[in-house]
Amino acid sequence: MELACPNCGTRFRVADDAVGSGGRQVRCGACGHSWRAFPEEAAAAPSEPTAQPPAASDTADTVEPEAIAAAVAEKTAAAPAPPLETGQGADSLPQDLAAPVRRRPQPLPPPETGPRWGLLIGWLLFFAVVAGLLGGGWYFRDQVVAQVPETTRLYDLLGIPVDQAGPAFVLDWRRAIRTEETGPTVTLSGQVINATDAPLPAPQLAVVLLNAQGNQIDSWAVEVDGGPIAPGEARDFATKGPWPEAASDVSVRLLQ
């Protein structure tokens, strides 16, 4: 069967069952015009004009039927029918193509955020460190006060009891510098007092000589005789040693 484009007149040769009984949307391959074709249209399409038999008076120019058929066949072969162009369905090709509508781009939705595990873990670590510092400050408060006496006031403000154990011995001493035949000497004398409520072994003392910059230049040990010292008892001690020219000060300390 043949279809003729109503816009440009181009003919198409299609299979007999290509249109179907209900019609089909087709498009002209030459001009792009689309229309819905029906079987009746194919039946009603005008056929190629056929040569009219010449009049009786023109017997000299008579054309044979075989020549007419050959001419029609040659024209058909010279202009093959373009293929039928359709959409995916019978009504898939729109009749009117509307102008494109400009739409404002919609903002993208914010990204979904899950639980903030990093922030939560950071806070947990912070509280763990604070709890560790507070616990250590409570449990080792006596050692902290012994090393840093200034923290005693802080513990008092917080109402935390601290065992402030005083020194076991108190030293009361004096010095005397003399010049002898062997040179300048320093004499140290004084008392060692037991400041506890129990008898303690007699301690050992150390004499340290210092220069003007506070650096140690000499030292020696001093034994306190007499055995254990009773509570509150004051035990005398005395020692003597050389006094170098570089010496500027002297100190007596407990070794035990």
Side-chain angles (χ1 to χ4, degrees), residues 44-132:
S47 58
E48 292 289 337
T50 57
Q52 298 294 330
S57 60
D58 299 329
T59 56
D61 298 327
T62 301
V63 180
E64 297 297 331
E66 292 79 6
I68 297 175
V72 173
E74 181 180 357
K75 183 177 180 180
T76 303
L84 180 67
E85 299 183 13
T86 61
Q88 295 180 354
D91 301 322
S92 61
L93 184 65
Q95 296 296 327
D96 298 322
L97 296 178
V101 178
R102 298 182 178 274
R103 299 181 181 273
R104 179 177 297 177
Q106 299 296 326
L108 297 176
E112 298 182 0
T113 57
R116 299 182 178 179
W117 295 111
L119 182 61
L120 178 60
I121 293 175
W123 278 109
L124 290 177
L125 291 176
F126 172 76
F127 286 121
V129 171
V130 172

Side-chain angles (χ1 to χ4, degrees), residues 15-250:
D16 294 338
D17 57 348
V19 175
S21 60
R24 185 170 185 176
Q25 195 76 16
V26 296
R27 182 166 64 88
C28 177
C31 66
H33 178 71
S34 63
W35 76 98
R36 192 174 186 85
F38 295 91
E40 306 85 50
E41 178 182 347
S47 58
E48 292 289 337
T50 57
Q52 298 294 330
S57 60
D58 299 329
T59 56
D61 298 327
T62 301
V63 180
E64 297 297 331
E66 292 79 6
I68 297 175
V72 173
E74 181 180 357
K75 183 177 180 180
T76 303
L84 180 67
E85 299 183 13
T86 61
Q88 295 180 354
D91 301 322
S92 61
L93 184 65
Q95 296 296 327
D96 298 322
L97 296 178
V101 178
R102 298 182 178 274
R103 299 181 181 273
R104 179 177 297 177
Q106 299 296 326
L108 297 176
E112 298 182 0
T113 57
R116 299 182 178 179
W117 295 111
L119 182 61
L120 178 60
I121 293 175
W123 278 109
L124 290 177
L125 291 176
F126 172 76
F127 286 121
V129 171
V130 172
L133 293 175
L134 293 177
W138 172 273
Y139 187 80
F140 299 102
R141 60 187 182 277
D142 296 338
Q143 291 84 341
V144 172
V145 171
Q147 296 294 327
V148 187
E150 292 80 3
T151 58
T152 303
R153 182 178 178 84
L154 176 61
Y155 282 106
D156 290 340
L157 292 175
L158 296 177
I160 300 177
V162 179
D163 183 13
Q164 301 182 32
F169 294 98
V170 176
L171 295 178
D172 182 14
W173 58 276
R174 55 193 175 276
R175 75 176 187 178
I177 301 175
R178 297 183 177 88
T179 302
E180 300 180 0
E181 296 179 358
T182 57
T185 62
V186 58
T187 301
L188 301 169
S189 61
Q191 293 180 330
V192 178
I193 305 170
N194 184 357
T196 67
D197 297 333
L200 295 175
Q204 188 178 28
L205 306 179
V207 177
V208 180
L209 300 180
L210 306 173
N211 60 13
Q213 290 75 31
N215 298 324
Q216 179 179 334
I217 59 176
D218 197 4
S219 66
W220 64 86
V222 178
E223 296 288 344
V224 178
D225 300 328
I229 302 177
E233 178 185 355
R235 183 77 53 85
D236 294 334
F237 73 93
T239 184
K240 183 174 67 173
W243 184 257
E245 183 179 355
S248 176
D249 196 6
V250 64

